[in-house]
Amino acid sequence: ETGVTQSPTHLIKTRGQQVTLRCSSQSGHNTVSWYQQALGQGPQFIFQYYREEENGRGNFPPRFSGLQFPNYSSELNVNALELDDSALYLCASSFKKGGRAPDEQYFGPGTRLTVT
Amino acid sequence: AQSVTQPDIHITVSEGASLELRCNYSYGATPYLFWYVQSPGQGLQLLLKYFSGDTLVQGIKGFEAEFKRSQSSFNLRKPSVHWSDAAEYFCAVGALSSGSARQLTFGSGTQLTVLP
């Protein structure tokens, strides 16, 4: 069973540029969530994708956008990068079972983004 | 809105000593509670979760946590710490996001140092 993988591992961008981060879900999972983890902080929920549509969103501006593909892999796109976007970006995959309880999320190792 | 507080930013214990990491949550409904561990360069690994039932939950690596509704707490414990337990620990509550996604809201983490 292949776990969640993310690419690239590290990335350096300049303020104002655009970036795309990629995530491959764990085998059998149909849902992908993205989190931003600033230095010294806990992860913050950006959004979740299920059946190729955004399923929920945290308190992030529209310049954070995403895609989910038919094979359940996903991309996170950030436009007009700001210095505060420097963080570890974590992807988590899960299998959406329905019901009230959250599905168990499996996290990738993350992409470290530095904006200069 | 839900929130999680981890009052201890950094804890140091000696190998073999017992450990308790504190977590307090704020959530209006029945909480779904989690503890994750993050080692340097690694993603988050789920240690244990509480959804309902027995308030003492057993997890992996010898960890346990106790849900106390009256205190809005979900403290993590281990009777005897090993050097390999040195890592950052995050408490999280699962809740509905703006859509139908059940997002995780994390605390800011507790860094654990283990002395030989």
Side-chain angles (χ1 to χ4, degrees):
Chain A
E1 183 178 86
T2 305
V4 179
T5 60
Q6 293 185 242
S7 63
T9 306
H10 295 87
L11 202 52
I12 300 175
K13 289 286 189 177
T14 302
R15 189 172 48 185
Q17 286 187 317
Q18 178 266 342
V19 68
T20 297
L21 310 182
R22 295 178 175 82
C23 171
S24 291
S25 302
Q26 183 165 311
S27 176
H29 287 181
N30 58 13
T31 303
V32 174
S33 303
W34 286 91
Y35 292 81
Q36 180 196 66
Q37 185 178 15
L39 200 61
Q41 300 295 318
Q44 281 195 296
F45 176 71
I46 302 174
F47 45 55
Q48 182 180 92
Y49 276 80
Y50 171 64
R51 291 183 175 177
E52 301 177 49
E53 291 191 0
E54 188 177 291
N55 189 40
R57 190 177 187 93
N59 190 26
F60 280 81
R63 61 188 184 85
F64 285 78
S65 63
L67 285 172
Q68 186 184 31
F69 300 99
N71 66 354
Y72 305 119
S73 65
S74 176
E75 287 182 355
L76 165 65
N77 299 289
V78 187
N79 294 321
L81 283 167
E82 301 177 359
L83 296 179
D84 284 349
D85 295 333
S86 295
L88 180 68
Y89 288 85
L90 295 165
C91 165
S93 73
S94 58
F95 181 76
K96 194 172 184 66
K97 297 188 290 289
R100 296 186 64 244
D103 305 311
E104 186 167 330
Q105 297 187 19
Y106 292 79
F107 284 81
T111 293
R112 173 74 62 188
L113 172 65
T114 302
V115 182
T116 63
Chain B
Q2 65 276 5
S3 66
V4 176
T5 302
Q6 293 181 247
D8 304 305
I9 297 172
H10 194 178
I11 283 185
T12 300
V13 299
S14 298
E15 191 169 17
S18 64
L19 171 70
E20 182 168 27
L21 302 183
R22 296 185 291 165
C23 171
N24 293 97
Y25 69 90
S26 173
Y27 186 57
T30 301
Y32 301 103
L33 297 163
F34 304 80
W35 274 99
Y36 283 85
V37 61
Q38 185 177 38
S39 299
Q42 305 290 317
L44 297 167
Q45 182 183 23
L46 179 66
L47 287 175
L48 48 78
K49 61 187 179 186
Y50 171 78
F51 285 2
S52 64
D54 193 347
T55 56
L56 186 62
V57 180
Q58 301 298 320
I60 63 171
K61 303 184 180 187
F63 286 93
E64 66 178 27
E66 186 171 12
F67 170 61
K68 292 185 177 180
R69 184 184 297 275
S70 61
Q71 298 177 18
S72 297
S73 69
F74 188 57
N75 294 349
L76 182 71
R77 301 194 294 246
K78 187 170 185 178
S80 178
V81 169
H82 188 262
W83 64 267
S84 61
D85 293 325
E88 187 143 28
Y89 291 80
F90 292 95
C91 181
V93 61
L96 280 176
S97 73
S98 58
S100 63
R102 282 160 178 78
Q103 70 178 80
L104 295 177
T105 297
F106 288 86
S108 55
T110 297
Q111 182 70 45
L112 174 66
T113 298
V114 180
L115 300 176

